[in-house]
Short mmCIF file of all heavy atoms in Angstrom, two decimals:
data_model
loop_
_atom_site.label_atom_id
_atom_site.label_comp_id
_atom_site.label_asym_id
_atom_site.label_seq_id
_atom_site.Cartn_x
_atom_site.Cartn_y
_atom_site.Cartn_z
N LEU A 240 96.99 -70.91 8.97
CA LEU A 240 97.11 -69.59 8.05
C LEU A 240 96.11 -68.67 8.62
O LEU A 240 94.97 -69.03 8.93
CB LEU A 240 96.83 -69.90 6.69
CG LEU A 240 96.77 -68.74 5.64
CD1 LEU A 240 98.25 -68.29 5.43
CD2 LEU A 240 96.14 -69.15 4.37
N ILE A 256 89.01 -59.82 -6.29
CA ILE A 256 90.16 -60.83 -6.59
C ILE A 256 89.90 -62.15 -5.68
O ILE A 256 90.75 -62.90 -5.59
CB ILE A 256 91.54 -60.27 -6.32
CG1 ILE A 256 91.57 -59.53 -4.97
CG2 ILE A 256 91.96 -59.45 -7.42
CD1 ILE A 256 91.55 -60.35 -3.74
N LEU A 257 88.65 -62.36 -5.33
CA LEU A 257 88.39 -63.61 -4.58
C LEU A 257 88.81 -64.87 -5.18
O LEU A 257 89.45 -65.75 -4.50
CB LEU A 257 86.90 -63.65 -4.09
CG LEU A 257 86.60 -64.74 -2.99
CD1 LEU A 257 87.17 -64.32 -1.67
CD2 LEU A 257 85.02 -64.94 -2.94
N PRO A 258 88.60 -65.10 -6.44
CA PRO A 258 89.07 -66.33 -7.11
C PRO A 258 90.61 -66.46 -7.04
O PRO A 258 91.07 -67.58 -6.74
CB PRO A 258 88.61 -66.21 -8.58
CG PRO A 258 87.41 -65.29 -8.51
CD PRO A 258 87.74 -64.30 -7.45
N GLU A 259 91.36 -65.30 -7.25
CA GLU A 259 92.87 -65.39 -7.05
C GLU A 259 93.26 -65.74 -5.57
O GLU A 259 94.18 -66.48 -5.39
CB GLU A 259 93.34 -64.07 -7.48
CG GLU A 259 93.29 -63.79 -8.90
CD GLU A 259 93.64 -62.42 -9.26
OE1 GLU A 259 94.90 -62.04 -8.93
OE2 GLU A 259 92.88 -61.58 -9.88
N LEU A 260 92.48 -65.18 -4.68
CA LEU A 260 92.72 -65.36 -3.28
C LEU A 260 92.49 -66.83 -2.94
O LEU A 260 93.29 -67.40 -2.19
CB LEU A 260 91.79 -64.51 -2.39
CG LEU A 260 92.02 -64.64 -0.82
CD1 LEU A 260 93.39 -64.24 -0.45
CD2 LEU A 260 90.95 -63.85 -0.14
N ARG A 261 91.47 -67.44 -3.49
CA ARG A 261 91.18 -68.92 -3.20
C ARG A 261 92.39 -69.71 -3.61
O ARG A 261 92.85 -70.62 -2.94
CB ARG A 261 89.92 -69.37 -3.89
CG ARG A 261 89.72 -70.80 -3.58
CD ARG A 261 88.29 -71.24 -4.10
NE ARG A 261 88.22 -71.29 -5.58
CZ ARG A 261 87.16 -71.83 -6.29
NH1 ARG A 261 86.13 -72.31 -5.53
NH2 ARG A 261 87.08 -71.78 -7.53
N GLU A 262 92.86 -69.53 -4.87
CA GLU A 262 94.03 -70.31 -5.37
C GLU A 262 95.28 -70.04 -4.39
O GLU A 262 95.97 -71.04 -4.22
CB GLU A 262 94.38 -69.87 -6.84
CG GLU A 262 93.25 -70.26 -7.73
CD GLU A 262 92.88 -71.75 -7.63
OE1 GLU A 262 93.82 -72.58 -7.69
OE2 GLU A 262 91.73 -72.02 -7.50
N ALA A 263 95.51 -68.90 -3.98
CA ALA A 263 96.68 -68.63 -3.15
C ALA A 263 96.53 -69.31 -1.73
O ALA A 263 97.44 -69.89 -1.23
CB ALA A 263 96.77 -67.19 -2.92
N VAL A 264 95.33 -69.28 -1.22
CA VAL A 264 95.01 -69.94 0.12
C VAL A 264 95.23 -71.44 -0.09
O VAL A 264 95.80 -72.11 0.72
CB VAL A 264 93.70 -69.56 0.64
CG1 VAL A 264 93.29 -70.39 1.80
CG2 VAL A 264 93.61 -68.17 0.95
N ARG A 265 94.82 -72.01 -1.23
CA ARG A 265 94.91 -73.44 -1.45
C ARG A 265 96.31 -73.87 -1.52
O ARG A 265 96.74 -74.91 -1.13
CB ARG A 265 94.07 -73.80 -2.70
CG ARG A 265 92.58 -73.81 -2.59
CD ARG A 265 91.99 -74.11 -3.99
NE ARG A 265 92.29 -75.35 -4.52
CZ ARG A 265 91.59 -76.45 -4.31
NH1 ARG A 265 90.51 -76.42 -3.64
NH2 ARG A 265 91.91 -77.55 -4.84
N SER A 266 97.07 -72.97 -2.16
CA SER A 266 98.50 -73.32 -2.35
C SER A 266 99.25 -73.47 -1.07
O SER A 266 100.44 -74.15 -1.04
CB SER A 266 99.19 -72.27 -3.19
OG SER A 266 99.41 -71.00 -2.39
N THR A 267 98.79 -73.01 0.07
CA THR A 267 99.49 -73.11 1.34
C THR A 267 99.31 -74.43 1.97
O THR A 267 100.09 -74.84 2.93
CB THR A 267 99.01 -72.05 2.35
OG1 THR A 267 97.68 -72.28 2.72
CG2 THR A 267 99.10 -70.65 1.76
N SER A 268 98.30 -75.24 1.56
CA SER A 268 97.96 -76.54 2.14
C SER A 268 97.69 -76.50 3.58
O SER A 268 97.97 -77.38 4.43
CB SER A 268 99.02 -77.62 1.84
OG SER A 268 99.20 -77.77 0.45
N ALA A 269 97.16 -75.27 4.04
CA ALA A 269 96.93 -75.20 5.53
C ALA A 269 95.86 -76.14 5.98
O ALA A 269 94.90 -76.43 5.31
CB ALA A 269 96.58 -73.72 5.80
N PHE A 299 83.02 -70.61 -0.67
CA PHE A 299 83.77 -70.53 -1.93
C PHE A 299 85.30 -70.79 -1.65
O PHE A 299 85.94 -71.54 -2.42
CB PHE A 299 83.52 -69.22 -2.56
CG PHE A 299 84.33 -69.03 -3.90
CD1 PHE A 299 83.90 -69.62 -5.01
CD2 PHE A 299 85.59 -68.25 -3.87
CE1 PHE A 299 84.60 -69.39 -6.17
CE2 PHE A 299 86.24 -68.08 -5.00
CZ PHE A 299 85.80 -68.63 -6.22
N LEU A 300 85.75 -70.22 -0.62
CA LEU A 300 87.18 -70.43 -0.23
C LEU A 300 87.37 -71.82 0.28
O LEU A 300 88.51 -72.42 -0.06
CB LEU A 300 87.58 -69.51 0.87
CG LEU A 300 87.65 -67.97 0.37
CD1 LEU A 300 87.88 -67.03 1.56
CD2 LEU A 300 88.85 -67.76 -0.64
N ALA A 301 86.45 -72.36 0.92
CA ALA A 301 86.72 -73.83 1.54
C ALA A 301 86.68 -74.75 0.30
O ALA A 301 87.47 -75.75 0.27
CB ALA A 301 85.57 -74.10 2.48
N ASP A 302 85.79 -74.62 -0.66
CA ASP A 302 85.74 -75.44 -1.86
C ASP A 302 85.75 -76.86 -1.40
O ASP A 302 85.03 -77.31 -0.53
CB ASP A 302 86.88 -75.10 -2.76
CG ASP A 302 86.73 -75.71 -4.18
OD1 ASP A 302 85.54 -75.84 -4.61
OD2 ASP A 302 87.84 -75.94 -4.85
N SER A 303 86.55 -77.70 -2.09
CA SER A 303 86.57 -79.16 -1.63
C SER A 303 87.78 -79.51 -0.80
O SER A 303 88.02 -80.61 -0.51
CB SER A 303 86.65 -80.05 -2.95
OG SER A 303 87.86 -79.60 -3.65
N MET A 304 88.55 -78.49 -0.36
CA MET A 304 89.86 -78.75 0.39
C MET A 304 89.63 -78.73 1.85
O MET A 304 90.33 -79.39 2.55
CB MET A 304 90.80 -77.65 -0.07
CG MET A 304 92.28 -77.94 0.40
SD MET A 304 93.42 -76.94 -0.51
CE MET A 304 94.96 -77.63 0.19
N TRP A 305 88.69 -77.86 2.31
CA TRP A 305 88.44 -77.86 3.76
C TRP A 305 87.02 -78.41 3.94
O TRP A 305 86.07 -77.70 3.51
CB TRP A 305 88.60 -76.42 4.31
CG TRP A 305 90.01 -76.01 4.38
CD1 TRP A 305 90.98 -76.23 5.28
CD2 TRP A 305 90.68 -75.35 3.30
NE1 TRP A 305 92.23 -75.74 4.91
CE2 TRP A 305 92.07 -75.24 3.66
CE3 TRP A 305 90.29 -74.90 2.03
CZ2 TRP A 305 93.05 -74.54 2.87
CZ3 TRP A 305 91.34 -74.18 1.27
CH2 TRP A 305 92.64 -74.10 1.67
N PRO A 463 101.66 -63.73 -4.98
CA PRO A 463 100.58 -62.84 -5.22
C PRO A 463 99.96 -62.16 -4.03
O PRO A 463 99.17 -61.24 -4.09
CB PRO A 463 99.52 -63.66 -5.89
CG PRO A 463 99.68 -64.95 -5.18
CD PRO A 463 101.13 -65.14 -4.95
N TRP A 464 100.55 -62.54 -2.79
CA TRP A 464 99.94 -62.00 -1.55
C TRP A 464 99.80 -60.58 -1.38
O TRP A 464 98.94 -59.95 -0.81
CB TRP A 464 100.58 -62.63 -0.39
CG TRP A 464 100.45 -64.14 -0.31
CD1 TRP A 464 101.47 -64.99 -0.55
CD2 TRP A 464 99.31 -64.92 0.04
NE1 TRP A 464 100.92 -66.33 -0.46
CE2 TRP A 464 99.65 -66.21 -0.09
CE3 TRP A 464 97.95 -64.51 0.37
CZ2 TRP A 464 98.80 -67.34 0.19
CZ3 TRP A 464 97.04 -65.61 0.65
CH2 TRP A 464 97.47 -66.88 0.52
N LEU A 467 96.55 -59.25 -2.87
CA LEU A 467 95.29 -59.95 -2.67
C LEU A 467 94.50 -59.50 -1.38
O LEU A 467 93.39 -59.83 -1.17
CB LEU A 467 95.63 -61.40 -2.40
CG LEU A 467 96.13 -62.19 -3.60
CD1 LEU A 467 96.40 -63.66 -3.30
CD2 LEU A 467 95.25 -62.09 -4.79
#
Side-chain angles (χ1 to χ4, degrees):
L240 177 75
I256 43 76
L257 191 68
E259 296 172 55
L260 179 62
R261 179 172 69 173
E262 292 309 307
V264 170
R265 287 173 62 91
S266 73
T267 68
S268 299
F299 178 79
L300 291 169
D302 194 30
S303 59
M304 194 164 181
W305 290 274
W464 295 106
L467 293 180

